Each structure stands twice: as C-alpha cells, then as structure tokens.
Amino acid sequence: FSLLQHNNHVSCCRICVITLAEAHPLLQNGKTITSINYQISANCSRLQNKVSGKSKRGAQFLTELAPLCRISSSDGEEYTIYSCIRGRLIEVNENILSNPAILQEKPSTEGYIAVVLPKFEESKSVTQGLLTQKEYEEVLSKR
C-alpha cells in the first residue's frame, strides 16, 4: 500500500489517502484487474459507510489490519488491501468499481482506494513507522 497524507491546517488533522504502492503486484507485469469488491464479509460492506457532520458520525472505525477491499486480477490472484492505519473511514473510491483501470493507470490520484481520518490523538504518530518516498525508492532499488 501507499499512504498519502494531507494536513488540514484549519482543523489540524491529517487526512490519509490509501493507494496502491508502485511496487504492488497489481501494478507490475501487465496484470489486468477484473474486479474490486468492498464487501468485506457477509455483514460488512465498506460501501455502506455513511459519514455525516464535523464529528464524522457513522464512519466505520478501522484498525491497521482492517480489510478495505479485495481486488481480483485476470491471472486468478486476489489481493486484500488493508487500512494500515487506525481511524475513521471517510470515503471509499466508488469510481474504481466501474473503471478498475484507473487503479492501475493513476494509483496515487484518481485511482485511490479510500480516505481515512486518524484519531486526533494519534494523527501525529500515524506515519512514524512508515517509509518516506525516498526511503521507499531505496528499498525498491535494492530488490
């Protein structure tokens, strides 16, 4: 996964956008995405997330290991994409359901997977264990 963070200077919170990392297998070797499913279990669909108001009432709470969606590719592989951070699910990108190609063509912009708002108390520590873009590129170059 890749995590993009935006500081909202008005409310001092950090909105996190979950995307596929450049090295994710779905972005390698010419794979084709056949389906994206936000239905996590029989009782849980990320599409049913309904958020309202400043306090983001109704938002589903996610842990680091909470699945966001499952993505299937033409070679039969299925990938579960996890939240990777604790917080409230603000939105999922429904556009990738009807146009899965944008997930591969524009993974860090229009092809994002979800937007998560970390708990205010945790917002500053969310990225402490994550790699910067430069560190990530160094790891990739060593593979």
Side-chain angles (χ1 to χ4, degrees):
F1 76 93
S2 179
L3 179 70
L4 307 175
Q5 199 171 49
H6 173 71
N7 285 329
N8 179 343
H9 298 291
V10 175
S11 64
C12 300
C13 8
R14 296 177 176 184
I15 296 171
C16 298
V17 180
I18 311 294
T19 68
L20 288 180
E22 293 172 22
H24 194 283
L26 282 164
L27 301 181
Q28 308 299 314
N29 307 321
K31 290 189 180 223
T32 302
I33 295 174
T34 55
S35 69
I36 300 163
N37 190 350
Y38 283 112
Q39 186 76 37
I40 301 309
S41 68
N43 299 325
C44 180
S45 171
R46 300 299 180 208
L47 292 173
Q48 293 173 342
N49 190 60
K50 301 294 179 214
V51 180
S52 66
K54 283 180 17 181
S55 63
K56 308 301 179 213
R57 255 174 285 152
Q60 295 174 10
F61 185 78
L62 305 171
T63 64
E64 299 91 330
L65 300 176
L68 288 171
C69 67
R70 291 189 176 78
I71 303 173
S72 299
S73 64
S74 55
D75 62 1
E77 292 288 327
E78 182 178 85
Y79 301 90
T80 300
I81 307 301
Y82 296 92
S83 172
C84 67
I85 58 171
R86 289 169 41 92
R88 293 179 183 263
L89 179 62
I90 302 304
E91 92 177 42
V92 294
N93 185 0
E94 293 184 42
N95 295 330
I96 61 176
L97 296 173
S98 59
N99 186 4
I102 61 171
L103 190 61
Q104 293 171 303
E105 295 164 3
K106 299 177 182 183
S108 60
T109 57
E110 295 169 51
Y112 71 95
I113 295 167
V115 177
V116 177
L117 181 61
K119 290 178 111 176
F120 182 76
E121 313 83 57
E122 299 174 9
S123 65
K124 290 183 180 178
S125 64
V126 162
T127 56
Q128 284 181 342
L130 302 177
L131 300 176
T132 65
Q133 182 67 28
K134 185 177 179 183
E135 291 168 336
Y136 173 72
E137 289 168 0
E138 289 171 7
V139 168
L140 288 182
S141 69
K142 292 176 184 175
R143 284 187 178 175

